[in-house]
Amino acid sequence: MKRLMQLTPEQEALLPKQAEKWLKIGLSTEPLNFEKAKAAVIDVYTMAALQPTKYFYHFQSPLSAAIAAIMLKSGDQVGDQVGDQVWDQVWDQVYGAHDASWLGFYETFLMFGIKKAEKLKPLMDLAKYCGWWVPYRNCAILQDRPQQILFDDQKRLHCENGPSIKYRDGFSVYSWHGTRVPNEWITGKNLDAKTAITWENMEQRRAACEIVGWATVLNQLNAKTVDKNENPFVGELLEVHIPDIGKEKFLKVMCGTEREFALPVPPDMQRASQAQAWLNFTTEDMYLPQVRT
C-alpha cells in the first residue's frame, strides 16, 4: 500500500489561504466577465475533447437561462442554426462559481504537484468569472452571479425583509435562517397563524411560526397549556382549535440553537414528556432517563 503524502509546514500554512480564496470566489457578487468566461468555456470543451462551441449567450439568472435553453431547443427567436444543437434536458446547469468548494480542493492538489488535477483547471478559471452555466453541443449559456447574498450570524441564508439571494434580472430566493420559504411570507402577504401551524413541511412550518411570531400564533389560536415540563428542551404541550380543522395538540419546544418551534403530536398526548418521547420514536419511560442525564 502506498504511503500517504505528508504535508510540509509550508503546505499546511497554505490551506487556510486557499479556503479563504475559494470562499470569496464562491460568494462573489461581481458581474459576469463575459470575455474571460468565453475563453474559459472554450478551454473546458477542448479539455473534454469536444469541438469548442461557436455561440455564447449571457443571461442574468438561472431562471432566465433555463427559459433561454427552452427557446434554443425550439429554435424560436434565437435561430434554428443553434436550436437543433441543444440537448433534450434543458434544466441541467453547471455550477460555475458555485462549484468553488471542490474546485478549490483540487486546485490545492495541483499546487502540491499532483498533475492529474490539471484537467480541472479550465473549470477553475471559469468559476472565477461567472455563475452557473449551461454547455451544449454548439452553444453555451453563461450567467451572472447573484447581485446580493445575505446571511444570518450563523452564516445561513437569511433576510427578514427581502430576498436572501437576488439576481440582476430580479429573480430571487427568500430564506429564513437557512430554510427556503415562499416569497410572500417575507413580503408580508398570505401568512397567518393557521397557515403557519399547519404547513406540511416541518422546517418551513418552524420558519413560518417564527416569522408570524410564536406569541402571535398562540394568541390567535387561543392555545391552552395541557402540560409544561420544567426542561424547555422537553417542551410545553398545547391544545389549540384550528378553524376548519378542530382541536389539535402541539409540543412547543426549544431546539439546540435556542429557537422555539412547535411540532404536531397525536391528540391523546397528556404530558410534554410523553409527546417528546413519541416524537423520538420511543416510550416515555425510555425517554425520561435520557432527559435527566
Short mmCIF file of all heavy atoms in Angstrom, two decimals, residues 232-281:
data_model
loop_
_atom_site.label_atom_id
_atom_site.label_comp_id
_atom_site.label_asym_id
_atom_site.label_seq_id
_atom_site.Cartn_x
_atom_site.Cartn_y
_atom_site.Cartn_z
N PRO A 232 -37.00 23.13 29.17
CA PRO A 232 -37.52 23.72 27.92
C PRO A 232 -37.23 22.87 26.69
O PRO A 232 -37.89 23.02 25.66
CB PRO A 232 -36.81 25.07 27.84
CG PRO A 232 -35.57 24.89 28.66
CD PRO A 232 -35.95 23.96 29.77
N PHE A 233 -36.25 21.97 26.79
CA PHE A 233 -35.94 21.09 25.66
C PHE A 233 -36.92 19.92 25.58
O PHE A 233 -36.98 19.24 24.57
CB PHE A 233 -34.50 20.59 25.74
CG PHE A 233 -33.48 21.70 25.59
CD1 PHE A 233 -32.82 22.20 26.69
CD2 PHE A 233 -33.22 22.25 24.35
CE1 PHE A 233 -31.90 23.23 26.56
CE2 PHE A 233 -32.30 23.27 24.21
CZ PHE A 233 -31.64 23.78 25.31
N VAL A 234 -37.65 19.67 26.66
CA VAL A 234 -38.75 18.71 26.63
C VAL A 234 -39.98 19.40 26.10
O VAL A 234 -40.69 18.88 25.24
CB VAL A 234 -39.02 18.10 28.02
CG1 VAL A 234 -40.22 17.17 27.97
CG2 VAL A 234 -37.78 17.35 28.51
N GLY A 235 -40.25 20.60 26.60
CA GLY A 235 -41.26 21.44 26.00
C GLY A 235 -42.56 21.59 26.76
O GLY A 235 -42.70 21.15 27.90
N GLU A 236 -43.51 22.22 26.07
CA GLU A 236 -44.82 22.52 26.62
C GLU A 236 -45.89 21.96 25.68
O GLU A 236 -45.88 22.25 24.48
CB GLU A 236 -44.99 24.03 26.78
CG GLU A 236 -46.33 24.46 27.34
CD GLU A 236 -46.43 25.97 27.49
OE1 GLU A 236 -45.46 26.68 27.11
OE2 GLU A 236 -47.48 26.46 27.95
N LEU A 237 -46.77 21.14 26.21
CA LEU A 237 -47.84 20.55 25.41
C LEU A 237 -49.03 21.51 25.36
O LEU A 237 -49.54 21.94 26.40
CB LEU A 237 -48.27 19.21 26.01
CG LEU A 237 -49.33 18.43 25.23
CD1 LEU A 237 -48.81 18.04 23.84
CD2 LEU A 237 -49.75 17.19 26.02
N LEU A 238 -49.43 21.86 24.15
CA LEU A 238 -50.50 22.83 23.94
C LEU A 238 -51.66 22.22 23.16
O LEU A 238 -51.46 21.34 22.32
CB LEU A 238 -49.96 24.04 23.16
CG LEU A 238 -48.78 24.79 23.77
CD1 LEU A 238 -48.23 25.79 22.77
CD2 LEU A 238 -49.20 25.50 25.06
N GLU A 239 -52.84 22.72 23.44
CA GLU A 239 -54.02 22.34 22.67
C GLU A 239 -54.59 23.59 22.04
O GLU A 239 -54.76 24.61 22.72
CB GLU A 239 -55.06 21.67 23.56
CG GLU A 239 -56.28 21.18 22.77
CD GLU A 239 -57.28 20.46 23.67
OE1 GLU A 239 -58.06 21.17 24.33
OE2 GLU A 239 -57.25 19.21 23.73
N VAL A 240 -54.87 23.53 20.75
CA VAL A 240 -55.41 24.69 20.05
C VAL A 240 -56.61 24.27 19.21
O VAL A 240 -56.77 23.09 18.88
CB VAL A 240 -54.36 25.35 19.13
CG1 VAL A 240 -53.16 25.84 19.92
CG2 VAL A 240 -53.90 24.37 18.05
N HIS A 241 -57.44 25.22 18.91
CA HIS A 241 -58.55 24.98 18.00
C HIS A 241 -58.25 25.69 16.70
O HIS A 241 -58.15 26.92 16.66
CB HIS A 241 -59.87 25.49 18.58
CG HIS A 241 -61.04 25.19 17.71
ND1 HIS A 241 -61.44 26.02 16.68
CD2 HIS A 241 -61.90 24.12 17.68
CE1 HIS A 241 -62.48 25.50 16.07
NE2 HIS A 241 -62.79 24.35 16.66
N ILE A 242 -58.08 24.92 15.63
CA ILE A 242 -57.75 25.48 14.33
C ILE A 242 -59.01 25.56 13.49
O ILE A 242 -59.70 24.54 13.32
CB ILE A 242 -56.69 24.62 13.62
CG1 ILE A 242 -55.42 24.54 14.48
CG2 ILE A 242 -56.35 25.19 12.25
CD1 ILE A 242 -54.36 23.63 13.93
N PRO A 243 -59.36 26.72 13.00
CA PRO A 243 -60.57 26.86 12.18
C PRO A 243 -60.59 25.85 11.04
O PRO A 243 -59.58 25.62 10.38
CB PRO A 243 -60.46 28.30 11.65
CG PRO A 243 -59.63 29.01 12.66
CD PRO A 243 -58.64 27.99 13.16
N ASP A 244 -61.75 25.24 10.83
CA ASP A 244 -61.99 24.26 9.77
C ASP A 244 -61.29 22.92 10.01
O ASP A 244 -61.40 22.01 9.19
CB ASP A 244 -61.54 24.80 8.40
CG ASP A 244 -62.23 26.11 8.05
OD1 ASP A 244 -63.42 26.28 8.39
OD2 ASP A 244 -61.57 26.97 7.43
N ILE A 245 -60.57 22.82 11.09
CA ILE A 245 -59.88 21.56 11.38
C ILE A 245 -60.33 20.98 12.71
O ILE A 245 -60.63 19.79 12.83
CB ILE A 245 -58.34 21.76 11.39
CG1 ILE A 245 -57.86 22.13 9.97
CG2 ILE A 245 -57.62 20.50 11.89
CD1 ILE A 245 -56.39 22.41 9.87
N GLY A 246 -60.39 21.83 13.75
CA GLY A 246 -60.78 21.37 15.06
C GLY A 246 -59.64 21.39 16.04
O GLY A 246 -58.63 22.08 15.84
N LYS A 247 -59.77 20.61 17.12
CA LYS A 247 -58.75 20.60 18.17
C LYS A 247 -57.52 19.79 17.73
O LYS A 247 -57.65 18.69 17.21
CB LYS A 247 -59.32 20.01 19.45
CG LYS A 247 -60.31 20.94 20.16
CD LYS A 247 -60.74 20.37 21.49
CE LYS A 247 -61.69 21.33 22.22
NZ LYS A 247 -62.13 20.80 23.53
N GLU A 248 -56.37 20.38 17.96
CA GLU A 248 -55.10 19.73 17.66
C GLU A 248 -54.14 20.00 18.80
O GLU A 248 -54.29 20.98 19.53
CB GLU A 248 -54.50 20.26 16.35
CG GLU A 248 -55.32 19.98 15.11
CD GLU A 248 -55.26 18.52 14.68
OE1 GLU A 248 -54.35 17.79 15.15
OE2 GLU A 248 -56.11 18.11 13.87
N LYS A 249 -53.16 19.10 18.96
CA LYS A 249 -52.15 19.30 20.00
C LYS A 249 -50.78 19.48 19.36
O LYS A 249 -50.45 18.84 18.36
CB LYS A 249 -52.14 18.13 20.97
CG LYS A 249 -53.33 18.13 21.92
CD LYS A 249 -53.25 17.03 22.96
CE LYS A 249 -54.45 17.10 23.91
NZ LYS A 249 -54.45 16.00 24.90
N PHE A 250 -50.01 20.37 20.00
CA PHE A 250 -48.66 20.66 19.53
C PHE A 250 -47.72 20.70 20.72
O PHE A 250 -48.11 21.07 21.84
CB PHE A 250 -48.61 22.01 18.82
CG PHE A 250 -49.37 22.04 17.52
CD1 PHE A 250 -50.73 22.30 17.50
CD2 PHE A 250 -48.73 21.79 16.32
CE1 PHE A 250 -51.44 22.33 16.31
CE2 PHE A 250 -49.41 21.81 15.12
CZ PHE A 250 -50.78 22.08 15.11
N LEU A 251 -46.49 20.31 20.47
CA LEU A 251 -45.46 20.43 21.50
C LEU A 251 -44.58 21.61 21.16
O LEU A 251 -43.88 21.62 20.15
CB LEU A 251 -44.61 19.16 21.58
CG LEU A 251 -43.56 19.14 22.69
CD1 LEU A 251 -44.24 19.10 24.06
CD2 LEU A 251 -42.59 17.97 22.53
N LYS A 252 -44.65 22.64 21.99
CA LYS A 252 -43.75 23.80 21.82
C LYS A 252 -42.46 23.48 22.55
O LYS A 252 -42.45 23.19 23.76
CB LYS A 252 -44.39 25.07 22.40
CG LYS A 252 -43.55 26.32 22.12
CD LYS A 252 -44.23 27.59 22.57
CE LYS A 252 -44.14 27.75 24.08
NZ LYS A 252 -44.56 29.10 24.51
N VAL A 253 -41.35 23.53 21.81
CA VAL A 253 -40.09 23.07 22.37
C VAL A 253 -38.96 23.96 21.88
O VAL A 253 -39.07 24.63 20.86
CB VAL A 253 -39.85 21.59 21.96
CG1 VAL A 253 -39.63 21.48 20.46
CG2 VAL A 253 -38.70 20.97 22.74
N MET A 254 -37.87 23.96 22.64
CA MET A 254 -36.68 24.72 22.27
C MET A 254 -35.66 23.77 21.66
O MET A 254 -35.44 22.67 22.18
CB MET A 254 -36.09 25.41 23.50
CG MET A 254 -34.89 26.31 23.20
SD MET A 254 -34.24 27.10 24.70
CE MET A 254 -35.61 28.17 25.13
N CYS A 255 -35.06 24.18 20.54
CA CYS A 255 -34.03 23.34 19.92
C CYS A 255 -32.65 23.76 20.43
O CYS A 255 -32.53 24.67 21.24
CB CYS A 255 -34.10 23.44 18.40
SG CYS A 255 -33.61 25.05 17.74
N GLY A 256 -31.62 23.09 19.93
CA GLY A 256 -30.27 23.35 20.40
C GLY A 256 -29.78 24.76 20.14
O GLY A 256 -28.87 25.23 20.82
N THR A 257 -30.36 25.43 19.15
CA THR A 257 -29.97 26.81 18.84
C THR A 257 -30.79 27.82 19.65
O THR A 257 -30.73 29.02 19.39
CB THR A 257 -30.15 27.11 17.34
OG1 THR A 257 -31.52 26.92 16.98
CG2 THR A 257 -29.28 26.18 16.50
N GLU A 258 -31.60 27.32 20.61
CA GLU A 258 -32.45 28.13 21.49
C GLU A 258 -33.53 28.88 20.71
O GLU A 258 -33.94 29.97 21.09
CB GLU A 258 -31.59 29.10 22.32
CG GLU A 258 -30.64 28.37 23.26
CD GLU A 258 -29.94 29.31 24.23
OE1 GLU A 258 -30.09 30.53 24.08
OE2 GLU A 258 -29.25 28.81 25.13
N ARG A 259 -33.97 28.27 19.60
CA ARG A 259 -35.13 28.79 18.86
C ARG A 259 -36.33 27.93 19.20
O ARG A 259 -36.23 26.70 19.25
CB ARG A 259 -34.86 28.75 17.36
CG ARG A 259 -33.77 29.70 16.90
CD ARG A 259 -33.30 29.35 15.51
NE ARG A 259 -34.37 29.47 14.52
CZ ARG A 259 -34.33 28.87 13.33
NH1 ARG A 259 -33.32 28.09 13.00
NH2 ARG A 259 -35.34 29.03 12.48
N GLU A 260 -37.46 28.57 19.43
CA GLU A 260 -38.67 27.82 19.76
C GLU A 260 -39.44 27.45 18.49
O GLU A 260 -39.47 28.20 17.52
CB GLU A 260 -39.58 28.66 20.66
CG GLU A 260 -39.13 28.73 22.10
CD GLU A 260 -40.17 29.36 23.00
OE1 GLU A 260 -40.99 30.17 22.49
OE2 GLU A 260 -40.19 29.05 24.19
N PHE A 261 -40.04 26.27 18.51
CA PHE A 261 -40.93 25.87 17.43
C PHE A 261 -41.92 24.86 17.99
O PHE A 261 -41.80 24.40 19.13
CB PHE A 261 -40.15 25.28 16.25
CG PHE A 261 -39.31 24.08 16.58
CD1 PHE A 261 -39.76 22.81 16.32
CD2 PHE A 261 -38.05 24.23 17.14
CE1 PHE A 261 -38.99 21.70 16.60
CE2 PHE A 261 -37.26 23.12 17.44
CZ PHE A 261 -37.73 21.85 17.17
N ALA A 262 -42.94 24.53 17.20
CA ALA A 262 -43.99 23.62 17.66
C ALA A 262 -44.13 22.47 16.67
O ALA A 262 -44.05 22.67 15.45
CB ALA A 262 -45.31 24.34 17.81
N LEU A 263 -44.34 21.27 17.20
CA LEU A 263 -44.50 20.09 16.38
C LEU A 263 -45.85 19.45 16.67
O LEU A 263 -46.27 19.37 17.83
CB LEU A 263 -43.38 19.08 16.69
CG LEU A 263 -41.95 19.56 16.44
CD1 LEU A 263 -40.96 18.55 17.00
CD2 LEU A 263 -41.70 19.77 14.96
N PRO A 264 -46.57 18.98 15.64
CA PRO A 264 -47.85 18.33 15.88
C PRO A 264 -47.65 16.96 16.53
O PRO A 264 -46.73 16.23 16.18
CB PRO A 264 -48.43 18.19 14.48
CG PRO A 264 -47.23 18.16 13.58
CD PRO A 264 -46.21 19.05 14.21
N VAL A 265 -48.49 16.64 17.47
CA VAL A 265 -48.44 15.34 18.16
C VAL A 265 -49.86 14.77 18.21
O VAL A 265 -50.85 15.50 18.01
CB VAL A 265 -47.85 15.48 19.59
CG1 VAL A 265 -46.40 15.93 19.53
CG2 VAL A 265 -48.68 16.45 20.42
N PRO A 266 -50.01 13.47 18.45
CA PRO A 266 -51.34 12.86 18.49
C PRO A 266 -52.24 13.50 19.55
O PRO A 266 -51.76 13.97 20.60
CB PRO A 266 -51.04 11.40 18.83
CG PRO A 266 -49.66 11.17 18.33
CD PRO A 266 -48.93 12.46 18.58
N PRO A 267 -53.54 13.52 19.32
CA PRO A 267 -54.47 14.18 20.25
C PRO A 267 -54.59 13.51 21.61
O PRO A 267 -55.10 14.11 22.55
CB PRO A 267 -55.80 14.14 19.50
CG PRO A 267 -55.65 13.03 18.52
CD PRO A 267 -54.22 13.02 18.12
N ASP A 268 -54.10 12.26 21.73
CA ASP A 268 -54.22 11.58 23.01
C ASP A 268 -53.04 11.85 23.95
O ASP A 268 -52.98 11.34 25.07
CB ASP A 268 -54.38 10.07 22.82
CG ASP A 268 -53.19 9.44 22.10
OD1 ASP A 268 -52.36 10.19 21.54
OD2 ASP A 268 -53.09 8.20 22.11
N MET A 269 -52.08 12.69 23.52
CA MET A 269 -50.95 13.04 24.38
C MET A 269 -51.43 13.86 25.58
O MET A 269 -52.25 14.77 25.42
CB MET A 269 -49.90 13.85 23.60
CG MET A 269 -49.24 13.12 22.44
SD MET A 269 -48.09 11.82 22.96
CE MET A 269 -49.02 10.35 22.53
N GLN A 270 -50.93 13.52 26.79
CA GLN A 270 -51.33 14.21 28.01
C GLN A 270 -50.19 14.95 28.69
O GLN A 270 -50.42 15.83 29.52
CB GLN A 270 -51.93 13.20 29.00
CG GLN A 270 -53.18 12.51 28.48
CD GLN A 270 -54.31 13.50 28.20
OE1 GLN A 270 -54.52 14.45 28.96
NE2 GLN A 270 -55.02 13.29 27.10
N ARG A 271 -48.94 14.58 28.36
CA ARG A 271 -47.78 15.20 29.02
C ARG A 271 -46.75 15.59 27.95
O ARG A 271 -46.64 14.93 26.91
CB ARG A 271 -47.14 14.24 30.02
CG ARG A 271 -48.02 13.91 31.21
CD ARG A 271 -47.43 12.80 32.06
NE ARG A 271 -47.27 11.56 31.30
CZ ARG A 271 -48.29 10.71 31.05
NH1 ARG A 271 -49.51 11.00 31.47
NH2 ARG A 271 -48.07 9.62 30.35
N ALA A 272 -46.01 16.64 28.24
CA ALA A 272 -44.98 17.09 27.32
C ALA A 272 -43.93 16.01 27.10
O ALA A 272 -43.48 15.76 25.98
CB ALA A 272 -44.32 18.37 27.84
N SER A 273 -43.55 15.31 28.17
CA SER A 273 -42.54 14.25 28.06
C SER A 273 -43.07 13.09 27.22
O SER A 273 -42.32 12.45 26.48
CB SER A 273 -42.13 13.76 29.44
OG SER A 273 -43.26 13.34 30.18
N GLN A 274 -44.35 12.82 27.32
CA GLN A 274 -44.97 11.76 26.52
C GLN A 274 -44.92 12.13 25.04
O GLN A 274 -44.59 11.30 24.18
CB GLN A 274 -46.42 11.56 26.98
CG GLN A 274 -47.17 10.47 26.22
CD GLN A 274 -48.65 10.47 26.59
OE1 GLN A 274 -49.18 11.45 27.14
NE2 GLN A 274 -49.33 9.37 26.29
N ALA A 275 -45.23 13.39 24.74
CA ALA A 275 -45.18 13.86 23.36
C ALA A 275 -43.76 13.86 22.81
O ALA A 275 -43.51 13.49 21.67
CB ALA A 275 -45.78 15.26 23.28
N GLN A 276 -42.81 14.27 23.66
CA GLN A 276 -41.41 14.28 23.24
C GLN A 276 -40.92 12.86 22.94
O GLN A 276 -40.19 12.62 21.97
CB GLN A 276 -40.55 14.93 24.32
CG GLN A 276 -39.10 15.14 23.96
CD GLN A 276 -38.90 16.11 22.82
OE1 GLN A 276 -38.61 15.68 21.71
NE2 GLN A 276 -39.05 17.40 23.10
N ALA A 277 -41.33 11.92 23.78
CA ALA A 277 -40.97 10.52 23.56
C ALA A 277 -41.55 10.02 22.24
O ALA A 277 -40.88 9.32 21.47
CB ALA A 277 -41.45 9.67 24.72
N TRP A 278 -42.80 10.38 21.98
CA TRP A 278 -43.44 9.95 20.73
C TRP A 278 -42.69 10.51 19.52
O TRP A 278 -42.47 9.81 18.53
CB TRP A 278 -44.89 10.44 20.71
CG TRP A 278 -45.64 10.05 19.47
CD1 TRP A 278 -46.27 8.87 19.20
CD2 TRP A 278 -45.80 10.87 18.29
NE1 TRP A 278 -46.83 8.89 17.95
CE2 TRP A 278 -46.56 10.10 17.36
CE3 TRP A 278 -45.40 12.15 17.94
CZ2 TRP A 278 -46.92 10.59 16.10
CZ3 TRP A 278 -45.75 12.64 16.68
CH2 TRP A 278 -46.49 11.86 15.78
N LEU A 279 -42.25 11.76 19.60
CA LEU A 279 -41.50 12.38 18.51
C LEU A 279 -40.15 11.71 18.30
O LEU A 279 -39.60 11.74 17.20
CB LEU A 279 -41.30 13.87 18.78
CG LEU A 279 -42.55 14.74 18.68
CD1 LEU A 279 -42.29 16.12 19.26
CD2 LEU A 279 -43.00 14.86 17.22
N ASN A 280 -39.62 11.10 19.36
CA ASN A 280 -38.32 10.43 19.28
C ASN A 280 -38.45 8.93 19.07
O ASN A 280 -37.48 8.19 19.28
CB ASN A 280 -37.49 10.73 20.54
CG ASN A 280 -36.90 12.13 20.52
OD1 ASN A 280 -35.84 12.35 19.93
ND2 ASN A 280 -37.58 13.07 21.15
N PHE A 281 -39.66 8.49 18.70
CA PHE A 281 -39.91 7.08 18.38
C PHE A 281 -39.55 6.14 19.54
O PHE A 281 -38.96 5.08 19.35
CB PHE A 281 -39.13 6.65 17.13
CG PHE A 281 -39.41 7.51 15.93
CD1 PHE A 281 -38.51 8.51 15.55
CD2 PHE A 281 -40.56 7.33 15.19
CE1 PHE A 281 -38.77 9.30 14.45
CE2 PHE A 281 -40.82 8.14 14.08
CZ PHE A 281 -39.93 9.12 13.71
#
